[in-house]
Amino acid sequence: MGDLKPDDELDWVEIREDLNRSYVTETFFQKAKRKTLENPLVPIGAFGTVAALSIGLFNFSKGRQQMQQYMMRARVGAQAFTIICMVVGILLLPKSKSN
């Protein structure tokens, strides 16, 4: 410990300050926009899922069984589409980052 210079003891403070300066924080909306631009089909599928669910629930409340069943099946299809898009996006992400 006797061979340490006074500046050596505070090097970790400088390293932490450098890390804090280089760390970029983003808001929820900035992150959502970035993720949407990376994989635009996922929000489309999510919107389709919500729309099919909403229409299906509306038809359920009105007693229209046939349309309600159709919309619930459409919801499952939209969910499958969304999950497939997410998996494809995850598989393609490392390739796009390396290019």
Side-chain angles (χ1 to χ4, degrees), residues 40-52:
L41 294 178
V42 172
I44 292 170
F47 178 74
T49 302
V50 170

Side-chain angles (χ1 to χ4, degrees), residues 7 14 22 27 31 40 48 67 92:
D7 293 337
E14 290 178 24
S22 66
T27 65
K31 184 175 181 179
M67 185 63 171
L92 294 178

Side-chain angles (χ1 to χ4, degrees), residues 29-42:
F29 294 108
Q30 290 171 335
K31 184 175 181 179
K33 182 179 177 182
R34 179 176 54 85
K35 293 285 189 178
T36 300
L37 292 175
E38 287 176 5
N39 196 351
L41 294 178
V42 172

Side-chain angles (χ1 to χ4, degrees), residues 30-93:
Q30 290 171 335
K31 184 175 181 179
K33 182 179 177 182
R34 179 176 54 85
K35 293 285 189 178
T36 300
L37 292 175
E38 287 176 5
N39 196 351
L41 294 178
V42 172
I44 292 170
F47 178 74
T49 302
V50 170
L53 178 64
S54 300
I55 295 169
L57 289 174
F58 175 76
N59 285 307
F60 177 73
S61 69
K62 295 294 183 184
R64 300 179 197 147
Q65 279 189 332
Q66 188 173 2
M67 185 63 171
Q68 182 257 336
Q69 284 292 319
Y70 175 74
M71 293 312 295
M72 290 301 112
R73 291 182 181 122
R75 176 192 56 87
V76 171
Q79 282 178 321
F81 173 79
T82 304
I83 291 171
I84 290 169
C85 290
M86 288 170 54
V87 170
V88 169
I90 290 170
L91 293 176
L92 294 178
L93 185 65

